[in-house]
Every structure is written in C-alpha cells, then in structure tokens.
Amino acid sequence: MGNQNILALLLFAMAALHCGISESMDFIKGNCNDVIRLPCKATNRTTTYRYVIWYKIESTPNPIIKRKNGEETIFANLTSVSLGEKGALELHNVQPSDSGEYKCFLAADIGGRNDDSFIRLNISECLHVSTVYPSTMIPDDSCPAVDDITVNWAVLGLSLFSMAKIILCIVTVGVCDRVIFSTAIRKQEVMGSNTGTRSSWKD
C-alpha cells in the first residue's frame, strides 16, 4: 500500500513538473520573411558559462549555432542565423519550416552547473500575391500572317483589277458610241421625213 502511494506521488510530481515547464515556456509568433529574435532566458540566471549553444527540438535535438570564446560556429543554417546579446538567437527571413521548439543551453564552467531554457516559435504561412494585368496582345491567329500573301498573288490580283477596269471602259465606250450612232440615225430619218413632206407641199 505504501509503495502505491509513493508511486502515485511520484507520478503527480512528474505531471506537475511537466505542466509547470510547459506553462513557463515562452511562445513567439512571427510572419513569413520576418527577422525573429529568440531570447535565452537561461542567461538571466547566470552570466558565467563556457559556451552557449542553441538546438531545435525535433525528433532529436539538432544543434544550430554555438558561441565559445567569442567565436560562432553554425551547425545547421535553418535560414540565416546569428547570436545577439545575452545569447539570443536571431533568425533572418524566417519560413514556416522554422516553426518549432528551441533550446538554449549554457555549458557551465568547471565546478558550476549547466543551465538551459526553452522557447517555442510559430511562423505563419507565406502569402504569394501575384498581380495579373489584362493582356493587350493580339492573338496570333486573329490576323493573317504577312508571309501568307505572296508577291505573285499580289501581282495577279492587281492585274485582274486592271483588266476589269479596261473591260469596263471598253464596254462603256461601246455603249456610248452605239447610243450616239442611234441618235444620229434617228436625226437623219427625222430630217429626211421633213424634207419629203416639204417637197410634197411644193408640188
């Protein structure tokens, strides 16, 4: 019975500790392509340490960047990373893939105690806005290509047009001559009939 109480007390303590850690974890939101600064809260508790290193917690912690003796070593370039004041992690041009949980680890001096802090980052989806302008180009098939009209066809067309004009002129002249000729004959017939009438009057 005593062992069961101890086990239940341990489980309760672990659950409380887990909830306490989860509730105390900072949460930062950002937009696509922003510059994000993740503070290392562990540096607020200690200022003496050998080096600081940042991890991204996925299936296993993946090291991102480390600073030791003023020199920085980049292990995995998620976007463009650097370390700011007090070990803050700076992410440039962040993407949705940068979302997740991050860990700042401080390696203590000999005889000291290591420390760490956690922070969660959430980056919104990137919005790609494309402006579509109406096209003013005329489709290729709306007008005949110039190459389709050859010189030979152009010459033939002009020749036929010229011949049609000549034929029309000939017909017009012929009709006019015929009308004039018919009119002259009628005048002569009228004059001849008038002359015969006058002769009969004299007789």
Side-chain angles (χ1 to χ4, degrees):
M1 187 71 177
N3 292 334
Q4 291 181 353
N5 291 336
I6 294 173
L7 181 60
L9 184 61
L10 288 175
L11 290 175
F12 177 77
M14 291 177 62
L17 181 62
H18 176 74
C19 293
I21 293 175
S22 299
E23 290 176 0
S24 64
M25 183 183 298
D26 290 338
F27 184 80
I28 293 181
K29 291 183 178 181
N31 296 320
C32 183
N33 299 322
D34 280 352
V35 177
I36 301 296
R37 185 177 182 272
L38 303 181
C40 179
K41 294 182 67 175
T43 57
N44 297 333
R45 298 187 290 267
T46 178
T47 57
T48 57
Y49 49 88
R50 288 183 296 127
Y51 63 85
V52 55
I53 183 170
W54 276 90
Y55 296 89
K56 185 178 182 185
I57 308 299
E58 296 175 325
S59 57
T60 57
N62 295 317
I64 301 172
I65 188 171
K66 175 182 178 182
R67 178 190 284 168
K68 183 177 182 180
N69 298 326
E71 296 183 359
E72 294 182 359
T73 303
I74 298 176
F75 298 97
N77 192 2
L78 299 179
T79 50
S80 176
V81 298
S82 60
L83 286 178
E85 295 182 1
K86 301 183 67 174
L89 178 65
E90 295 181 354
L91 302 174
H92 303 267
N93 191 33
V94 292
Q95 301 298 311
S97 58
D98 295 325
S99 299
E101 185 177 336
Y102 291 80
K103 174 184 177 181
C104 175
F105 176 81
L106 301 181
D109 293 329
I110 297 176
R113 182 179 178 181
N114 298 333
D115 200 356
D116 56 23
S117 60
F118 296 83
I119 192 168
R120 180 171 291 277
L121 175 66
N122 185 26
I123 303 299
S124 61
E125 293 295 328
C126 300
L127 299 178
H128 301 284
V129 179
S130 59
T131 304
V132 179
Y133 297 97
S135 176
T136 57
M137 297 180 62
I138 299 174
D140 294 337
D141 56 352
S142 62
C143 297
V146 177
D147 295 338
D148 294 341
I149 304 175
T150 61
V151 177
N152 294 332
W153 282 106
V155 172
L156 180 61
L158 291 175
S159 300
L160 292 175
F161 181 72
S162 299
M163 290 179 62
K165 289 178 66 177
I166 294 173
I167 293 172
L168 182 61
C169 291
I170 293 173
V171 171
T172 303
V173 171
V175 171
C176 291
D177 288 344
R178 190 166 184 177
V179 170
I180 294 172
F181 181 73
S182 299
T183 303
I185 291 176
R186 288 178 183 176
K187 286 183 178 180
Q188 289 180 0
E189 291 177 352
V190 171
M191 290 178 64
S193 61
N194 291 337
T195 304
T197 304
R198 290 177 182 174
S199 300
S200 60
W201 285 353
K202 290 179 181 180
D203 294 339

